[in-house]
Amino acid sequence: MTTPTPMDPVAQPVRLLIVDDDPLVRAGLTLMLGGADDIVVVGEGADGSEVAALVDRLGPDVVLMDIRMPTMDGLTATEALRARPDAPEVVVLTTFHADEQVLRAIRAGAAGFVLKDTPPAQIVDAVRRVAAGDPVLSPAVTRRLMAHAAGAGAGAGPGSARGERADRTDRARRRIATLADREREVAIAVGRGRSNAEIAAELYLSVATVKTQVSRILARFGFNNRVQIALLVHDAGLLDDDHGGGGGVADGDGNGDGADRPYRPFA
């Protein structure tokens, strides 16, 4: 699909599916997003159990997915959808108070998340950016998620929780082992919160080379964003002895400028 931009009259509009169990929320989102010249709302769903059939019938480019729904929640629906070939991108609607849910959505391959009270223009921008292959993950939100992941790992309880953690660690280490040495170094640096520019200086590489290495890692594992790389490195236990850098992914937007900007949902 041609990358859609508001200024490009020949670009194909972004085909959007909205899934939310609240009819008033769906109506508001449809009115707001359908008013953009380069977005067309192709359909609505009221539950995650409807998503597969709607995607098959309507062929959306992006699904705007609520988390809490009665029969199948948005996280389960996202995991099922992103496991399919040629799946549309998913943007999760969240209240942002449930970090564990957001982490699960990102692990499943969601390209970003938006708050339900986000200003309309920013939600429209989020849909455009995700359709263009640019994940919607702000640096501040990314740092919070990684801190939560680290805390959850440290506080894992006995029994099944410990076993699940061990299994995830083993899977992550096997995946990391498939990387070349330089790719592994870059992945660990991403996990430590380094920007592209900082990684380049640390490893004596050009910024362009770092961007290429990050892209290769994303492609190798079928990831959508740097947060997934950081989570993989975290799960593999490669950050356990790292007490520097403040944790998190400081440049979650991937532009490599290293700026520590104040939180804006789509900075």
Side-chain angles (χ1 to χ4, degrees):
M1 184 183 75
T2 304
T3 300
T5 65
M7 301 302 293
D8 184 356
V10 301
Q12 294 297 314
V14 177
R15 297 173 60 82
L16 178 68
L17 172 65
I18 297 172
V19 184
D20 194 295
D21 64 328
D22 188 331
L24 291 178
V25 172
R26 292 200 308 273
L29 290 170
T30 298
L31 182 65
M32 173 179 62
L33 291 158
D37 292 338
D38 55 343
I39 297 174
V40 56
V41 178
V42 296
E44 300 177 13
D47 191 82
S49 60
E50 303 174 10
V51 170
L54 287 170
V55 167
D56 287 341
R57 180 162 58 88
L58 301 172
D61 303 306
V62 178
V63 178
L64 192 59
M65 184 96 72
D66 187 22
I67 286 184
R68 292 184 175 89
M69 291 181 284
T71 304
M72 178 185 289
D73 64 72
L75 298 176
T76 302
T78 296
E79 289 168 343
L81 184 60
R82 291 298 300 168
R84 298 170 49 167
D86 300 320
E89 300 292 350
V90 175
V91 178
V92 172
L93 285 167
T94 177
T95 60
F96 188 58
H97 298 297
D99 290 345
E100 191 63 43
Q101 292 179 326
V102 175
L103 278 170
R104 181 179 162 193
I106 292 173
R107 290 185 195 276
F113 51 91
V114 295
L115 306 181
K116 288 193 174 182
D117 59 357
T118 296
Q122 292 183 347
I123 295 181
V124 171
D125 182 59
V127 171
R128 287 174 178 152
R129 287 178 56 182
V130 166
D134 183 14
V136 179
L137 294 164
S138 79
V141 170
T142 299
R143 284 194 296 271
R144 171 170 169 166
L145 291 176
M146 285 304 299
H148 179 82
S160 61
R162 191 178 332 177
E164 181 180 344
R165 168 68 179 168
D167 289 344
R168 194 161 64 208
T169 298
D170 184 58
R171 289 194 302 269
R173 287 176 175 172
R174 288 200 303 268
R175 300 183 88 180
I176 289 290
T178 67
L179 297 176
D181 289 344
R182 184 61 82 183
E183 291 173 337
R184 184 178 184 274
E185 291 173 342
V186 169
I188 292 172
V190 169
R192 287 175 175 161
R194 308 294 194 257
S195 70
N196 286 343
E198 290 168 338
I199 296 172
E202 191 174 286
L203 300 181
Y204 303 101
L205 301 171
S206 69
V207 172
T209 298
V210 173
K211 289 181 177 179
T212 298
Q213 295 282 5
V214 171
S215 295
R216 286 177 179 169
I217 297 167
L218 292 171
R220 179 186 296 270
F221 299 130
F223 288 167
N224 289 21
N225 53 66
R226 295 165 72 96
V227 183
Q228 290 173 298
I229 297 176
L231 287 171
L232 180 68
V233 172
H234 170 268
D235 287 346
L238 299 179
L239 305 181
D240 290 348
D241 296 326
D242 179 32
H243 302 292
V249 180
D251 196 25
D253 55 2
N255 63 12
D257 61 11
D260 189 12
R261 293 178 288 276
Y263 170 63
R264 299 191 301 274
F266 310 112

